[in-house]
Every structure is written in C-alpha cells, then in structure tokens.
Amino acid sequence: MVDFAVLPSFSQQVALPRNLLFFMHLLLLLLPGEMNSEEVRVVGPGESILALVGEEVEFSCHLSPYLDAEDMEIRWFRSRTSDVVHLYQGRQELYSQQMAQFQNRTKLLKDDIMDGSVNLQLLSIIPADEGLYGCRFLSSNFSREAVWELEVAGM
Ligand SMILES: *[C@@H]1O[C@H](CO)[C@@H](O)[C@H](O)[C@H]1NC(C)=O
Ligand SMILES: *[C@@H]1O[C@H](CO)[C@@H](O)[C@H](O)[C@H]1NC(C)=O
C-alpha cells in the first residue's frame, strides 16, 4: 500500500505481480498435498515379530504422519497382496478373498482408524502362520505398505 502511494504511476504494472502472488498461493495450497503423499509412510509392527503356537499376535499398522484412513482400503496380506489375511474396504470388512488359513482367526481393531491407526489380531497361531506379512493402505491417490516377518515358536 505504501508502495502504491509512493509510485502511483506504477499501479497498473503492480496489478500483474498481484496476480502472480495469487497463483503462487494456489501453488502453495496444492503442493503440500503432493509433498505429503511422498512423505506419508506406513509403519508396521517391526521387522520381525515372534508369536507362540496357540497364542495370538497383533499386527499394528499406522500412517505417519497420521491421516484419516476410514475411506481407504486396508489390506493385510502374506507374501503377495493377493494372498489376503484380512481386508477392510468401503468402510467394511470383506471376507470373500480371505485365505482359508485365516478364516475366523482375524479380528480388526479400528477404533483409531480416523487417526490412520489399525490393529489386526491373529488368533490361535499355527506353525503355518510363519512367514512374510504386510499391510497396505490404498486410496485413489495413495498406496503405501509395510512388511514384516512373523516367526512362530513352540512348534
Ligand atoms: C488425496 O486426495 C484427497 C481428496 O481428493 C485429498 O484430500 C488428499 O489430501 C490426497 N492425499 C494425498 C496423500 O495426496
Ligand atoms: C468359520 O466360522 C463359520 C461360522 O461359524 C464356519 O461355518 C466355518 O466353517 C468356519 N471356518 C473355519 C475354517 O473354521
């Protein structure tokens, strides 16, 4: 405003930079989303966790930084994403693709899903549960996963 008063004849030219400022603001509004999508990651239960035959184990997965995951697909899987341990999609749990091995043995704790945090309980551990697991968070513009190894003791 002070500049306008000092240089009134430049007011026409000043209008252009103000438009540029507007576009730069737009960019700043759009860019953080893009950058977040690079920075957001899934934190799993750790590199390797141990379970005992007959006991239960909990697979905790959360987005970091915390993001609402209620409308995302969250898929726990064995070595491949098509090997479904537990599937949350469209705000509900879908069992049609679940591997027979995990039927009636999974329980999803999703009280904190709006903070991007979910826990999957696997009950009555059997030796065949040993191996590689992962959880994947998926939405239209986002896909991230964490993987870990489950070791089973007491075989
Ligand atoms: C994905 O899109 C939604 C809605 O269009 C937006 O709110 C969200 O910030 C985006 N997420 C990322 C990680 O870019
Ligand atoms: C899971 O539970 C349902 C209903 O109780 C039962 O019909 C089904 O046989 C069970 N599946 C396994 C693999 O135990």
Side-chain angles (χ1 to χ4, degrees):
M1 283 309 189
V2 173
D3 286 346
F4 282 68
V6 173
L7 303 164
S9 59
F10 283 96
S11 57
Q12 276 306 110
Q13 286 93 323
V14 169
L16 186 64
R18 285 175 86 203
N19 276 340
L20 279 177
L21 269 182
F22 171 71
F23 282 114
M24 285 179 74
H25 270 172
L26 256 186
L27 270 179
L28 284 177
L29 283 175
L30 296 173
L31 276 176
E34 302 269 347
M35 295 195 308
N36 279 344
S37 74
E38 294 309 313
E39 285 167 15
V40 174
R41 62 200 178 95
V42 175
V43 179
E47 240 170 69
S48 165
I49 52 176
L50 182 69
L52 296 174
V53 169
E55 305 279 292
E56 62 177 63
V57 71
E58 203 161 293
F59 298 146
S60 63
C61 290
H62 73 262
L63 292 170
S64 174
Y66 293 99
L67 268 185
D68 187 353
E70 197 173 25
D71 290 312
M72 292 189 185
E73 176 196 288
I74 310 173
R75 175 187 294 254
W76 283 263
F77 56 91
R78 285 301 291 257
S79 342
R80 294 174 298 162
T81 50
S82 55
D83 294 343
V84 174
V85 175
H86 196 94
L87 182 60
Y88 168 90
Q89 193 184 65
R91 296 195 175 201
Q92 54 186 341
E93 291 163 64
L94 300 181
Y95 294 98
S96 56
Q97 296 175 47
Q98 186 177 46
M99 291 171 76
Q101 183 186 332
F102 300 106
Q103 262 174 33
N104 301 342
R105 292 206 294 132
T106 55
K107 189 169 188 285
L108 177 60
L109 308 176
K110 54 178 192 294
D111 286 349
D112 298 322
I113 196 167
M114 288 173 81
D115 294 322
S117 180
V118 282
N119 286 342
L120 185 74
Q121 288 182 335
L122 180 58
L123 312 172
S124 313
I125 295 290
I126 55 173
D129 291 337
E130 185 162 276
L132 190 69
Y133 287 79
C135 60
R136 185 183 71 180
F137 288 67
L138 179 77
S139 71
S140 53
N141 54 358
F142 180 89
S143 177
R144 293 285 185 283
E145 64 186 50
V147 295
W148 61 92
E149 187 84 28
L150 178 68
E151 288 177 48
V152 176
M155 312 198 200

